[in-house]
Amino acid sequence: MRKLGDTDVLNKTVALRVDLNVPVKDGNVLDDARILAIIPTLQYLQKQNSKTVLISHFGRPKAGVIDSKFSLLPVANRLGEILNKEIPLFTSIDEVNFHEDISMIENIRFLPGELINDLDLSSTLCNLADVYVFDAFGTSHRSHASTYGAINAAKKSCAGFLLEDETRALKKATDSQESPTLSIVGGSKISSKLEVIKSLVQISDEVLTGGGITNTFLKAQGNNIGISLCEDSMLSHAKELLATEKILLPNEVVVSKSMDSDASRVCSIDSVKDDEKILDQILSPTVAEKISVAKKIIWNGPLGVFENDHFSKGTKDLANAIALSDAYSLAGGGETLLAIKMFIDKSKLSYCSTGGGAFLEFMEGKELPSLSALGFKF
Ligand code: ADP
Ligand code: MG
């Protein structure tokens, strides 16, 4: 992969594609992890005396419509606070200049060419600067004008430091032969995680399931799951996966009549009632032991509806158990990282990916187009 450290950026202008799609409420950034993640690249570029213009998307605005709800202004302000300098935000590409060390272009998805990978837009973007640096791991599974398109169109393009770290951490997780390897896949829907479960089954000794995904497995195994979230169309896939004998299911779960209810009870997986929903699981001593002896742990997806206190214990206990383990531990996924932030110090894990969809696709063994364009070998 072409790397920033091997690219001449001394006194050069740089267009830096980053993923600053962070949660924002009332003009305030709620979680700045993705902003902090690009600081090493920015600091290096500053040391190289290069002038940088940042390019990012933010949310899903209607293409071609400038909607202030999706402005990057709060993000530019937060970055400015972190770096203790003002970050000018250009509302259009025509305004771009390199008067300041670091500046930012308004949400790239305001432009109609971004999602359709328009070649003219790709050329315009990479021609803004001497070098096109791609550091947006979270969008590397997309072929958009500012990702795959601009990387290919640029005379000089390379990966930033975040991308290097991410790919190193993810490749270590998929390629290293450590045993026992325990993977955990939770979250709401098995259909969105089927491919990742299949590929994790191959590289893991066991895969612990959680969340709505567990419900489908329990039903496939013949358990009554009441009115729990379940995908009947996935039952045959679940049966096939159960046949590998690598799928770990809970013995005890937390059930309730409703997700918003305060009333809940713990029961064995054999005694869920018809009008109950499984909303969390109990981390058994056996699973806790497996976590503590694992050499490698890959985690995506919460074990329950952790956003509600009554159904957060499974995910919280899991996070704490992983934090205590000496294993090489990798986590990824939007809600997974939110849970990690809520329950533990994320530095207790070996690596937390900044990617959601990109993380899953990498784990599925897919080739991510923007990484391939940078010469990354999967
Ligand atoms: P990630 O973003 O980490 O990949 P997902 O998006 O797949 O995770 O799933 C996260 C969501 O799954 C959470 O919002 C959580 O409330 C929900 N969830 C977890 N367990 C259950 C369950 N038993 N029933 C319904 N929803 C669940
Ligand atoms: Mg999610």
Side-chain angles (χ1 to χ4, degrees):
M1 183 164 72
R2 298 189 296 282
K3 295 175 181 169
L4 179 55
D6 302 329
T7 307
D8 179 13
V9 287
L10 190 68
N11 301 320
K12 299 270 195 296
T13 55
V14 168
L16 176 60
R17 175 57 160 107
V18 286
D19 180 355
L20 298 180
N21 188 24
V22 296
V24 168
K25 201 176 171 199
D26 304 326
N28 295 310
V29 172
L30 298 181
D31 180 7
D32 57 10
R34 280 184 170 173
I35 305 179
L36 295 173
I38 62 156
I39 299 296
T41 297
L42 281 176
Q43 281 173 339
Y44 176 80
L45 291 171
Q46 277 191 290
K47 275 201 203 114
Q48 293 284 312
N49 200 31
S50 36
K51 305 265 188 197
T52 304
V53 61
L54 292 158
I55 302 168
S56 178
H57 70 285
F58 180 65
R60 293 170 189 261
K62 201 165 169 249
V65 180
I66 296 176
D67 179 347
S68 60
K69 258 204 328 264
F70 295 102
S71 169
L72 274 168
L73 188 62
V75 180
N77 289 342
R78 181 76 194 106
L79 177 64
E81 279 167 23
I82 294 168
L83 296 174
N84 201 14
K85 58 162 67 202
E86 202 167 315
I87 310 292
L89 183 67
F90 305 121
T91 50
S92 82
I93 293 183
D94 303 335
E95 285 176 21
V96 170
N97 61 59
F98 290 90
H99 297 165
E100 299 295 327
D101 290 353
I102 302 170
S103 52
M104 195 183 289
I105 302 179
E106 191 45 288
N107 193 347
I108 196 69
R109 288 197 184 159
F110 285 165
L111 303 178
E114 171 63 358
L115 298 186
I116 56 168
N117 192 15
D118 177 65
L119 271 178
D120 288 340
L121 179 57
S122 295
S123 312
T124 307
L125 290 172
C126 63
N127 288 332
L128 285 172
D130 300 319
V131 185
Y132 200 80
V133 180
F134 185 77
D135 218 7
F137 177 75
T139 59
S140 54
H141 57 318
R142 307 273 186 225
S143 295
H144 292 165
S146 69
T147 63
Y148 176 81
I151 295 167
N152 280 326
K155 282 196 197 79
K156 253 192 192 176
S157 62
C158 65
F161 293 144
L162 173 63
L163 210 77
E164 248 191 83
D165 284 351
E166 290 265 5
T167 49
R168 195 184 302 118
L170 272 57
K171 201 143 173 61
K172 183 172 157 107
T174 52
D175 290 7
S176 71
Q177 308 267 323
E178 266 132 341
S179 187
T181 289
L182 177 70
S183 292
I184 301 121
V185 183
S188 47
K189 287 185 155 183
I190 188 167
S191 52
S192 62
K193 306 273 174 91
L194 183 67
E195 293 307 317
V196 84
I197 300 174
K198 281 185 179 165
S199 90
L200 289 177
V201 158
Q202 310 235 337
I203 60 166
S204 313
D205 294 273
E206 287 176 298
V207 177
L208 173 69
T209 66
I213 291 169
T214 295
N215 305 342
T216 306
F217 279 108
L218 288 174
K219 185 165 177 181
Q221 175 177 269
N223 290 93
N224 178 24
I225 57 164
I227 51 166
S228 303
L229 175 68
C230 172
E231 288 171 284
D232 285 338
S233 61
M234 291 285 126
L235 286 172
S236 59
H237 290 291
K239 281 183 188 151
E240 271 170 39
L241 284 162
L242 285 169
T244 65
E245 296 188 352
K246 285 186 169 186
I247 301 291
L248 283 177
L249 294 171
N251 301 321
E252 287 184 305
V253 288
V254 181
V255 295
S256 176
K257 294 199 168 136
S258 137
M259 214 182 261
D260 313 308
S261 169
D262 283 352
S264 62
R265 67 179 189 106
V266 173
C267 71
S268 113
I269 52 165
D270 305 320
S271 47
V272 177
K273 294 185 187 143
D274 289 347
D275 61 348
E276 286 177 330
K277 272 181 188 189
I278 303 169
L279 295 169
D280 194 15
Q281 65 175 250
I282 303 295
L283 202 75
S284 69
T286 320
V287 172
E289 175 64 14
K290 285 178 193 286
I291 293 170
S292 86
V293 300
K295 292 275 186 329
K296 188 166 79 183
I297 298 172
I298 303 171
W299 177 23
N300 166 261
L303 295 188
V305 182
F306 70 98
E307 296 92 339
N308 179 334
D309 269 356
H310 298 96
F311 313 114
S312 66
K313 192 171 184 310
T315 307
K316 189 176 182 176
D317 289 350
L318 173 70
N320 277 302
I322 297 176
L324 286 175
S325 125
D326 293 328
Y328 175 77
S329 52
L330 170 70
E335 268 79 27
T336 310
L337 290 208
L338 196 64
I340 288 171
K341 194 174 170 189
M342 276 166 74
F343 303 134
I344 56 169
D345 172 358
K346 84 170 190 188
S347 68
K348 298 273 192 265
L349 272 84
S350 308
Y351 197 79
C352 288
S353 175
T354 55
F359 171 79
L360 287 177
E361 287 197 19
F362 196 109
M363 288 295 141
E364 285 167 16
K366 286 198 184 135
E367 295 199 359
L368 281 55
S370 301
L371 298 186
S372 300
L374 291 161
F376 180 76
K377 297 276 176 283
F378 286 88

